[in-house]
Amino acid sequence: MKIAVVVGTRPEIIKMAPVVRACRARGAPCLLLHTGQHYSFELDGVFFAELGLPAPDVNLEIGSGSRTYQVASAMLGLEPVLRAHRPDVVPVEGDTNSVLAAALAANQAGIAVGHVEAGLRSHDRGMPEEINRILTDHVSDHLFAPTTGARAILRGDGIPESRIHVTGNTVVDELHLQRDRARRPGLLERFGVEARRYALATLHRPENVDQEDRLRGILAGLAAAGDALDLVVLAALHPRTQARIAATDPALTARLRVLPPLGYLDFLGLHADAALMLTDSGGLQEEACCLRVPCVTLRDNTERPESVAAGASVLAGADPGRIVACARAMHAIPRDWPNPFGDGRSGERIVDLLLGMRA
Ligand code: UD1
Ligand code: UDP
């Protein structure tokens, strides 16, 4: 059984690390293919270095561009690579343009596709990720649903039961593995904060950063939430967001402490001791839930309803008043919810299923 894992962006690298490790632990041949959708060191190389991943066997270096450009160029790049190596299965993770491209390219080459994090739906077809998820689920041969809720969605889409496995989310595996390593002495001092006296924020979704009214609303809401709760707001901003702010009005972040995108360990170490997470990230809704850090989700919908149902997250949208109200409410809640995203052994489960070692 030859496995060719495809990654393209920050969250895929992080969430596929447990799958790559489980392949290695079982001696299963595993190629690592990178589309190169993310390429800046802080969105790409830092994770290979920190998580101990091997360098990709192939990097297609597709870079940035339109959705059509990214999907088409990743497909064109993957076609000869898949033909040359003939893997038995191509696992992909999540909902990015790289994921859709890899799933289509593998399917068209007659190679089985395994979708890690299958069955998520925001029910918002305006999000590129929603279309990528639906299409990837439907071309996949093995669907690794993180939760029973995701399995129910796949069943509702008519996907045969025999293809669906509830495995938990690999994000939990990585978090369990790295949490103690991440909380190293001197970290909070390096960022000039004290435990539970700061909020951590990220923002990158196009529907938030590319729409000026939402961008302004969210940044005003973050600053006002910091003032209301007497918290420093550390905002680790994606290059896309930093560019938008620079082009719109650099003063928008005057009351935030803006940071570049951080490596996994610094980010996780800060997250673990934060008073609040304020984010539009998918993966961070899961990580906050696992770390028992209350999450204010800067979106109108979510494909991670488990986190909301657990009481760990609330949908705050982009209105500053609502963001402050949600931040106040979440800051006050007890941190005692259960983690619905798995037990930290999802990567092993997925690889065992692929190797036929588990039914
Ligand atoms: C992509 C995914 C999104 C995921 C996010 C993870 C899609 C449709 N979107 O969004 O689902 O949540 O990755 O972070 O696939 N840029 C850099 N350096 C890089 C990469 C990008 O500076 O290494 C800048 C470029 O200006 C680029 C912009 O960020 O145009 C957007 O990059 P892109 O890969 O298109 O989408 P993301 O916003 O990163
Ligand atoms: N992350 C990180 N540094 C940062 C921001 C996020 O290491 O500055 C990690 C975070 O811990 C999580 C993942 O990146 O594991 C989430 O990726 P992102 O928000 O880019 O994508 P999404 O999950 O929304 O697709």
Side-chain angles (χ1 to χ4, degrees):
M1 171 64 72
K2 192 162 156 189
I3 297 174
V5 168
V6 178
V7 297
T9 67
R10 167 167 74 184
E12 296 160 66
I13 300 165
I14 295 166
K15 289 177 169 177
M16 278 306 208
V19 172
V20 173
R21 255 186 233 114
C23 287
R24 286 169 137 192
R26 283 153 183 73
C30 176
L31 283 171
L32 187 53
L33 310 179
H34 194 333
T35 67
Q37 180 174 338
H38 281 180
Y39 46 86
S40 299
F41 180 74
E42 68 266 28
L43 293 182
D44 175 28
V46 65
F47 302 105
F48 283 85
E50 289 188 344
L51 305 184
L53 288 169
D57 295 283
V58 176
N59 190 327
L60 302 173
E61 296 181 358
I62 66 161
S64 302
S66 69
R67 283 166 76 184
T68 302
Y69 164 78
Q70 287 183 328
V71 174
S73 50
M75 286 184 73
L76 284 169
L78 282 169
E79 187 180 31
V81 175
L82 295 176
R83 199 179 299 121
H85 292 281
R86 292 299 319 163
D88 297 290
V89 62
V90 171
V92 295
E93 188 284 326
D95 53 23
T96 66
N97 293 337
S98 294
V99 170
L100 175 62
L104 289 173
N107 174 268
Q108 287 169 17
I111 299 166
V113 177
H115 191 197
V116 177
E117 208 176 80
L120 272 60
R121 297 288 184 272
S122 66
H123 305 290
D124 175 359
R125 289 171 62 90
M127 290 177 74
E129 291 85 357
E130 182 74 354
I131 304 303
N132 292 343
R133 289 181 196 116
I134 294 170
L135 296 176
T136 303
D137 281 343
H138 282 268
V139 295
S140 291
D141 302 273
H142 310 280
L143 293 102
F144 302 114
T147 63
T148 52
R151 176 175 62 193
I153 285 171
L154 295 170
R155 282 175 172 160
D157 270 13
I159 291 172
E161 189 71 40
S162 57
R163 292 195 208 152
I164 309 171
H165 305 277
V166 178
T167 58
N169 195 309
T170 56
V171 78
V172 183
D173 306 25
E174 204 54 33
L175 200 132
H176 283 185
L177 184 68
Q178 309 290 356
R179 181 168 31 192
D180 292 342
R181 208 179 142 214
R183 295 176 87 177
R184 49 219 189 284
L187 175 75
L188 301 190
E189 291 79 357
R190 182 148 53 86
F191 287 91
V193 289
E194 290 168 46
R196 303 267 178 115
R197 300 295 310 276
Y198 61 94
L200 190 57
T202 81
L203 191 66
H204 74 281
R205 305 236 89 89
E207 66 270 24
N208 283 335
V209 303
D210 294 354
Q211 290 190 48
E212 191 177 328
D213 55 335
R214 287 187 72 95
L215 179 66
R216 285 183 183 276
I218 289 172
L219 294 173
L222 297 183
D227 289 346
L229 295 166
D230 195 20
L231 298 172
V232 174
V233 180
L234 299 180
L237 296 180
H238 188 292
R240 161 182 216 130
T241 312
Q242 300 222 24
R244 275 288 163 183
I245 292 167
T248 309
D249 178 3
L252 286 176
T253 51
R255 289 153 67 209
L256 308 178
R257 210 174 289 170
V258 175
L259 302 169
L262 301 177
Y264 184 76
L265 295 176
D266 279 356
F267 195 86
L268 176 55
L270 286 172
H271 192 175
D273 279 319
L276 282 176
M277 168 55 64
L278 303 150
T279 190
D280 63 0
S281 162
L284 284 171
Q285 292 169 61
E286 297 155 351
E287 288 183 4
C289 190
C290 299
L291 289 168
R292 294 218 173 96
V293 174
C295 182
V296 175
T297 300
L298 305 166
R299 289 176 49 186
D300 300 326
N301 53 54
T302 182
E303 59 293 316
R304 273 92 173 169
E306 295 86 354
S307 173
V308 177
S313 164
V314 64
L315 292 175
D319 174 70
R322 181 157 167 77
I323 292 169
V324 174
C326 290
R328 275 190 194 281
M330 293 306 281
H331 192 238
I333 60 167
R335 301 171 167 217
D336 58 0
W337 54 81
N339 163 25
F341 293 112
D343 61 0
R345 304 191 63 182
S346 306
E348 295 168 27
R349 232 171 250 127
I350 288 164
V351 172
D352 286 349
L353 284 161
L354 291 174
L355 296 177
M357 289 162 62
R358 186 193 281 259

